[in-house]
Amino acid sequence: MSTFTKTLLAAALGFSMITAAQALPSVKILATGGTIAGTAASATQMTGYKAGDLGIQVLINAVPQMKDFADVSGEQIVKISSNNMTDSVLLKLAQRCNELLADPKVNGIVITHGTDTLEETAFFLNLTVKSKKPVVLVGAMRPATAISADGPLNLLNAVKLAADPQAVGKGVMIAMNDTINGARDTTKTNTTNVGTFRSPDAGPLGVIAAGKNIFLHEPARRHTFESQFDVSKLDALPRVDIGYSHANGDRVAIDAFVKAGAQGIVWAGTGNGSIHENEEVGAVDAIKKGVVFVRSSRVGSGVTTLSLQRWADEGMLQSGALNPQKARILLQLALTQTKDPAEIQKIFDEY
Ligand code: SIN
């Protein structure tokens, strides 16, 4: 039977001919910049390059192998180095992901992003994307012009993950260095190494080996389609600042945050979220003024627990296993719904 006859027959039977290309999953790539789109003067220059220089179409053209796995199209959201990330870009990304994922023709989303604040964007989307469809963040530690640039393979792996039915319902993920990390638990642990993203307490969700996604764990906490947070109508987020405890600390930063209008403060405390007594007096005054104060830890792994009963009696909350930058994101979202510290502690215990 000729193709023409097959097409006529298919039309008569009420369905369209599906070619191999049409049958591929549709993956949208939202580009924000970062080192994955960075350029340097030479192949050996690995620092001091221009992050976010290349547009999304250049990145797509550089990895034609993606087209074997997905019908890929790109959209440039911003072109920034992620140390310059803003709340307004976070909101724009969440809103665009939700629009795209509501389209039955879209199977998944990849977001190219700088690695510096990638964990914050991933966690924000993990709490605000209302879909089971895969959303995968990807970056690189070496600019696109570098010898052994890690971006192209990371991008291919991210697209394959976003197109993979196994990845449905797993929350927002990060695919880098042949590892699948979950948005809640992963953090950047090394300033320059390609294996920078690790999940110190939970471990990775899976690995990528021989070109296959191999899942090892499920995310344990509420995320995406189970999340209570809705940013569809928001154009700003509550101000939440992070302070850092150290020897000889004092209350100056806390007072400045309150003066600047902070609704919440996350404290990167020493050890198990401990706070210097000179900082504590500032925290107590901030709490009396209605600021929500969450103890986290500067240690880099482990759970920040209740610890001293006095701190709880003074109204301080604890972040659990969230590091300060993740606790800040959750506190911003919590404050869009309630100012009640007890309710907010419940949110920290659930997400
Ligand atoms: C950035 O975060 O945009 C720069 C660093 C990187 O992407 O690795």
Side-chain angles (χ1 to χ4, degrees):
M1 203 187 301
S2 72
T3 306
F4 179 68
T5 317
K6 280 186 196 163
T7 307
L8 282 180
L9 186 59
L13 291 171
F15 59 87
S16 58
M17 292 297 291
I18 297 175
T19 66
Q22 284 167 330
L24 288 175
S26 160
V27 173
K28 298 281 174 196
I29 306 182
L30 305 183
T32 68
T35 296
I36 193 168
T39 55
S42 77
T44 50
Q45 188 184 341
M46 305 288 176
T47 59
Y49 47 83
K50 184 162 190 235
D53 194 25
L54 304 174
I56 182 56
Q57 204 50 50
V58 179
L59 300 192
I60 291 175
N61 293 346
V63 192
Q65 298 82 353
M66 291 190 296
K67 305 225 160 73
D68 297 336
F69 300 96
D71 176 13
V72 172
S73 60
E75 200 174 303
Q76 195 79 43
I77 302 291
V78 281
K79 269 177 115 181
I80 60 172
S81 195
S82 80
N83 48 295
N84 295 324
M85 185 51 63
T86 63
D87 288 351
S88 91
V89 176
L90 290 182
L91 288 167
K92 190 171 175 185
L93 273 174
Q95 288 159 2
R96 188 65 186 131
C97 284
N98 282 322
E99 268 167 23
L100 287 169
L101 295 174
D103 180 347
K105 295 198 284 298
V106 174
N107 295 88
I109 291 179
V110 167
I111 299 173
T112 59
H113 200 290
T115 59
D116 284 359
T117 59
L118 186 146
E119 65 190 88
E120 285 153 79
T121 301
F123 190 45
F124 183 78
L125 296 175
N126 199 48
L127 297 168
T128 56
V129 165
K130 304 278 173 204
S131 175
K132 288 188 173 180
K133 293 179 186 174
V135 175
V136 182
L137 275 85
V138 64
M141 292 300 284
R142 298 178 184 140
T145 46
I147 187 168
S148 284
D150 50 332
L153 181 57
N154 284 346
L155 184 56
L156 176 64
N157 283 340
V159 166
K160 286 170 69 178
L161 182 60
D164 187 344
Q166 288 187 90
V168 170
K170 298 275 196 299
V172 174
M173 291 160 283
I174 293 109
M176 280 183 66
N177 197 40
D178 288 346
T179 309
I180 305 167
N181 276 296
R184 180 186 188 276
D185 297 302
T186 200
T187 187
K188 185 171 181 176
T189 63
N190 190 289
T191 51
T192 55
N193 193 283
V194 293
T196 188
F197 282 98
R198 292 184 186 272
S199 302
D201 294 306
L205 289 184
V207 293
I208 302 167
K212 301 246 175 309
N213 300 314
I214 299 165
F215 281 94
L216 303 168
H217 302 292
E218 293 285 330
R221 298 296 187 100
R222 285 172 74 177
H223 61 78
T224 55
F225 63 99
E226 303 156 324
S227 168
Q228 71 194 70
F229 303 109
D230 179 3
V231 294
S232 58
K233 297 193 176 58
L234 297 184
D235 57 12
L237 292 169
R239 179 177 180 122
V240 173
D241 290 292
I242 298 177
Y244 200 96
S245 212
H246 53 84
N248 210 41
D250 62 28
R251 59 181 293 166
V252 170
I254 296 174
D255 290 342
F257 295 150
V258 174
K259 197 164 168 224
Q263 294 183 40
I265 295 173
V266 173
W267 202 250
T270 47
N272 182 13
S274 298
I275 179 164
H276 195 295
E277 58 193 5
N278 297 341
E279 298 157 354
E280 186 181 351
V281 283
V284 168
D285 283 347
I287 293 165
K288 282 189 189 138
K289 289 185 175 135
V291 175
V292 179
F293 194 94
V294 177
R295 294 169 37 248
S296 182
S297 175
R298 66 179 204 175
V299 165
S301 66
V303 179
T304 302
T305 66
L306 182 60
S307 193
L308 284 189
Q309 186 59 43
R310 183 180 84 238
W311 293 334
D313 294 343
E314 288 166 350
M316 295 184 204
L317 311 183
Q318 58 272 350
S319 72
L322 293 179
N323 66 22
Q325 57 271 32
K326 298 253 175 91
R328 176 181 169 275
I329 294 286
L330 183 56
L331 184 52
Q332 283 187 296
L333 287 168
L335 285 165
T336 64
Q337 298 198 339
T338 178
K339 305 233 177 313
D340 177 355
E343 281 298 309
I344 294 177
Q345 185 60 62
K346 198 160 156 266
I347 286 170
F348 270 90
D349 294 344
E350 278 180 32
Y351 285 89

